[in-house]
Amino acid sequence: MTVLAIRDLTLRIAGRALLEGASLAVDPGRKIGLVGRNGAGKSTLLRAITGEAQPDGGEIRLASRAQLGHVAQEAPEGAASLLETVLAADEERAALLAEAETNPDAARLAEIHDRLIAIRADSAPARAAAILSGLGFDAEAQARPVGEFSGGWRMRVALARALFLEPDLLLLDEPTNHLDLEAALWLEGWLARFPGAVILVSHDRGLLERVPDAIAHLDRGRITLYPGNFANFVRVRAERQAQQRAQNERVAAERARIQAFVDRFRAKATKARQAQSRLKALERLPPIEAVVEDQPVRFDFPEPADLPPPILALSRVAVGYDGRRPVLRNLDLRLDQEDRVALLGANGNGKSTLAKLLAGRLEPMAGELRRAPRLKVGYFAQHQTEELDPRGTPLSHMQAALPHATETACRSQLARFGLDADRAETEVAALSGGEKARLLLALCTREAPQLLILDEPTNHLDIDAREALVKALAEFRGAVLLISHDPHLVELIADRLWLVADGTVRQFDGDLDDYRALLAERARAANGNGTKPEAAPTRTDARRDRAEARAAQAPLRARVKEIEALLERLNREAALIEAKLGDPATYTRFKPEDITWANTRRAAIAREVEALEQEWLDLHERLEAA
């Protein structure tokens, strides 16, 4: 028996078909990741399953008595506490408790109590509190009215309500967008243990690789189910595309062979019958199916100038906001140009405050902050989308940010992040969230900064754009300070972790697995099931190896630049010599020994260029291997 059956589904928006003849079956306990390009129809499909969007054809059938859970689009509000708001999501429990207070009939009361026991009503407050705690709300916050919290925090409460119901089928659309890393890690563990079925739409590759046991791919109006996680989906899909290309090549070759026979012998009476037979064989060949391959997404950060270390150093620094107590104290930190640092710590601990301090948006309240001369900092924060002029275009924003640059230079900077000629002149109001994020990345890197501070850069980027960001950051020759709820991004980019907690920042000697274990241990301790955890585990991990490898690569990269400069100079000199030797007047104006020297120098340059090119290739092989 399936929890959900979708058969021959057709969904259209403004006359455009998103899905046409699509089918999908979801078995009990199955966890499916729903993926596809932006605009493929993922969110619309979830809305159709919940009944918020009407299909244009086909059928969506939920199993009888199966409970459907999803996160409401509207954040909860009102005077009820967070705990009461989550408990109210179970309408049956709330109705039974209310009836038990007013119904005097003993037989009915017995039925009510039997049902309350069956739905575990007595453990509901503890379950609700545990979910809220995992999503970042402590006991004090759980008692506060939901209306006192900002929209992002109230969306966490909406997520908590959906999880609390423990439905037979749970629909989640980008559930980590409003979460910090700690809450995202908790949600990942919760979903892995959840016994019900899940359909998960997410651009978080780590979540898609650790939670789903199948991937449903929305492409060209159809849904194709791939067993396994996202990594397996990528592998199997690439293999299928390769097989399709090979099949197309075989069919094309056979078509060409048969057509050549027909063209050669059609007019000959002795071969006419064979030619007709070949024509019928040609008709029976399968059609050549197009292999649709996604256009690769590339981000390209400008190359910064080198600065002597450290580029930033903090000594006994305190930072906060005007008229308030410091948020962070006793900061003794250092950043070099090769550093890759990710900040850990729950929302509200001061991660964004530290980012603003290092970006120059806040001044120290105490202590000393030293910056390298000529240091340029690129600062990306999601709230900056609110500062964009909705009537402006990416090009007008870039021209305002680079008033002395040519239009070509401004367009070139936008193109580094996939904003082509058409998008460069599209009004900001018409851009998608991902396109606005690309614009912010283009703006914050316009001056080739030595330090990039990225505060949740992936919130609106799809999977391909996130992978492009990972590759660009790996090639970036400056320092990176990263705040992200995306474990996949943190694990691939960060060489060091700084823990922002207890009013200060300190080095975390471990990796994300260590941090997951630390959070789990703290949760057990908070629930009275464990001892007080140590501050942080200590072990050498792969991240430290990557930092050392990057440091070892620095001389290789420097030599590559040196060779490129030498090759450019030698090639210019060789071109000048070639031009002189190719001019007949040279042989009358210059002495024979000058001609001999020119030929000797040309040969020497050729040997030097060949040696340098070989060294350049060897260096690139070493860098790629590293």
Side-chain angles (χ1 to χ4, degrees):
M1 185 186 77
T2 59
V3 176
L4 176 71
I6 298 173
R7 298 186 183 91
D8 297 324
L9 181 66
T10 298
L11 286 174
R12 294 189 178 93
I13 288 184
R16 181 172 70 93
L18 296 176
L19 295 175
E20 199 155 9
S23 298
L24 177 69
V26 182
D27 295 328
R30 192 104 196 247
K31 295 179 176 64
I32 296 176
L34 189 61
V35 303
R37 282 285 193 178
N38 285 349
K42 302 184 294 295
S43 297
T44 305
L45 175 58
L46 294 193
R47 291 177 56 242
I49 294 171
T50 63
E52 297 172 25
Q54 292 302 312
D56 295 280
E59 178 185 36
I60 300 175
R61 184 184 295 269
L62 194 66
S64 61
R65 292 197 297 274
Q67 187 178 30
L68 179 66
H70 66 101
V71 180
Q73 291 185 341
E74 296 296 326
E77 55 186 20
S81 71
L82 267 59
L83 188 61
E84 291 168 341
T85 302
V86 173
L87 289 171
D90 189 343
E91 296 178 359
E92 182 185 9
R93 175 182 175 276
L96 289 171
L97 289 174
E99 186 180 354
E101 292 288 331
T102 58
N103 195 325
D105 183 70
R108 176 56 185 156
L109 281 175
E111 291 176 0
I112 290 172
H113 285 296
D114 286 343
R115 183 56 185 163
L116 287 171
I117 291 171
I119 64 174
R120 299 183 297 152
D122 58 333
S123 66
R127 288 189 288 113
I131 291 171
L132 285 168
S133 176
L135 293 176
F137 299 100
D138 58 21
E140 181 182 350
Q142 293 176 26
R144 288 169 54 195
V146 68
E148 291 184 3
F149 292 86
S150 66
W153 284 97
R154 284 188 285 123
M155 285 308 299
R156 292 196 189 199
V157 180
L159 175 60
R161 285 168 59 92
L163 301 183
F164 170 70
L165 288 174
E166 296 184 351
D168 300 287
L169 174 61
L170 178 62
L171 307 180
L172 295 175
D173 192 352
E174 296 292 354
T176 61
N177 265 7
H178 299 285
L179 304 183
D180 53 25
L181 178 61
E182 289 68 23
L185 293 174
W186 175 88
L187 177 63
E188 183 184 300
W190 190 94
L191 289 173
R193 297 187 301 272
F194 177 55
V198 177
I199 297 180
L200 170 67
V201 175
S202 179
H203 291 142
D204 184 336
R205 181 163 183 163
L207 193 65
L208 289 173
E209 292 193 348
R210 282 186 282 267
V211 171
D213 50 44
I215 297 294
H217 183 217
L218 270 65
D219 184 41
R220 289 175 287 170
R222 297 300 177 97
I223 303 174
T224 305
L225 193 66
Y226 294 78
N229 63 6
F230 186 81
N232 189 67
F233 155 71
V234 172
R235 180 184 61 79
V236 172
R237 184 165 180 251
E239 289 174 355
R240 289 184 181 179
Q241 288 179 332
Q243 291 168 358
Q244 184 63 56
R245 279 193 294 270
Q247 172 70 5
N248 287 349
E249 290 171 1
R250 286 194 295 271
V251 171
E254 183 66 8
R255 281 181 179 277
R257 188 184 67 79
I258 293 175
Q259 189 66 53
F261 181 92
V262 171
D263 293 343
R264 184 177 178 185
F265 295 114
R266 177 184 287 167
K268 294 187 177 181
T270 57
K271 298 287 186 179
R273 183 172 296 175
Q274 291 94 323
Q276 290 299 318
S277 175
R278 296 296 195 283
L279 279 175
K280 292 178 181 178
L282 193 63
E283 292 173 0
R284 290 195 297 270
L285 284 176
I288 295 177
E289 296 184 17
V291 179
V292 179
E293 298 190 56
D294 297 330
Q295 290 295 319
V297 179
R298 267 195 67 83
F299 289 170
D300 181 20
F301 292 113
E303 187 169 306
D306 291 332
L307 293 178
I311 59 173
L312 267 175
L314 286 71
S315 178
R316 307 293 293 173
V317 167
V319 62
Y321 300 89
D322 292 340
R324 306 181 196 173
R325 296 176 57 190
V327 176
L328 298 170
R329 298 184 181 86
N330 299 323
L331 300 182
D332 292 299
L333 304 169
R334 169 187 170 131
L335 276 174
D336 296 331
Q337 193 162 333
E338 294 294 324
D339 280 339
R340 301 287 194 278
V341 178
L343 300 184
L344 305 177
N347 279 0
N349 280 7
K351 297 192 299 292
S352 293
T353 301
L354 178 63
K356 290 175 183 175
L357 170 70
L358 300 182
R361 305 292 180 95
L362 287 176
E363 292 297 324
M365 301 172 72
E368 182 183 12
L369 189 156
R370 297 186 304 278
R371 300 176 185 274
R374 298 181 290 110
L375 172 65
K376 296 176 182 177
V377 179
Y379 178 52
F380 176 102
Q382 280 295 337
H383 67 78
Q384 292 171 339
T385 56
E386 301 166 7
E387 301 170 11
L388 297 174
D389 177 9
R391 295 187 178 181
T393 65
L395 181 58
S396 69
H397 281 83
M398 189 59 67
Q399 288 174 322
L402 295 173
H404 302 297
T406 64
E407 180 178 324
T408 300
C410 291
R411 288 182 179 275
S412 177
Q413 174 64 10
L414 293 169
R416 287 176 178 272
F417 297 91
L419 295 171
D420 55 21
D422 291 336
R423 290 175 181 171
E425 298 187 19
T426 301
E427 284 194 358
V428 166
L431 296 177
S432 68
E435 289 166 340
K436 290 176 184 175
R438 294 181 185 210
L439 173 57
L440 291 179
L441 285 169
L443 288 170
C444 80
T445 60
R446 65 188 183 275
E447 294 183 334
Q450 289 90 2
L451 170 60
L452 270 180
I453 299 175
L454 304 177
D455 191 347
E456 297 295 355
T458 61
N459 264 3
H460 297 287
L461 298 180
D462 61 22
I463 290 175
D464 291 337
R466 290 183 184 209
E467 291 303 307
L469 179 61
V470 167
K471 291 177 182 176
L473 288 174
E475 296 171 0
F476 178 57
R477 291 186 57 251
V480 176
L481 185 80
L482 178 66
I483 303 172
S484 178
H485 66 261
D486 184 345
H488 180 69
L489 181 64
V490 171
E491 288 173 339
L492 288 179
I493 295 304
D495 297 327
R496 290 196 287 152
L497 300 177
W498 288 354
L499 180 59
V500 184
D502 304 321
T504 192
V505 182
R506 65 179 182 271
Q507 177 89 12
F508 183 84
D509 190 13
D511 61 9
L512 278 188
D513 287 336
D514 296 319
Y515 193 55
R516 286 186 182 95
L518 178 63
L519 294 175
E521 194 171 351
R522 284 179 175 170
R524 288 194 297 270
N527 294 329
N529 297 325
T531 57
K532 184 178 179 180
E534 297 177 2
T538 57
R539 81 173 194 182
T540 303
D541 52 30
R543 209 176 44 256
R544 185 173 301 159
D545 294 339
R546 289 203 306 273
E548 293 172 356
R550 185 174 286 109
Q553 291 168 27
L556 302 182
R557 295 183 187 280
R559 178 57 181 163
V560 165
K561 290 182 64 178
E562 183 183 346
I563 290 173
E564 289 169 350
L566 282 170
L567 285 171
E568 185 178 357
R569 181 174 61 77
L570 289 169
N571 285 326
R572 281 201 306 267
E573 185 182 353
L576 288 172
I577 293 174
E578 289 286 350
K580 287 291 183 183
L581 292 175
D583 183 0
T586 298
Y587 298 91
T588 59
R589 293 168 52 197
F590 292 95
K591 298 176 182 179
E593 54 265 31
D594 293 332
I595 305 298
T596 302
W597 179 89
N599 279 303
T600 303
R601 179 58 184 157
R602 178 174 62 176
I605 288 174
R607 289 193 298 272
E608 194 173 350
V609 165
E610 184 179 2
L612 286 170
E613 287 177 344
Q614 185 58 52
E615 185 182 356
W616 187 89
L617 288 170
D618 292 342
L619 287 170
H620 268 278
E621 286 181 3
R622 290 167 64 185
L623 286 170
E624 288 174 6

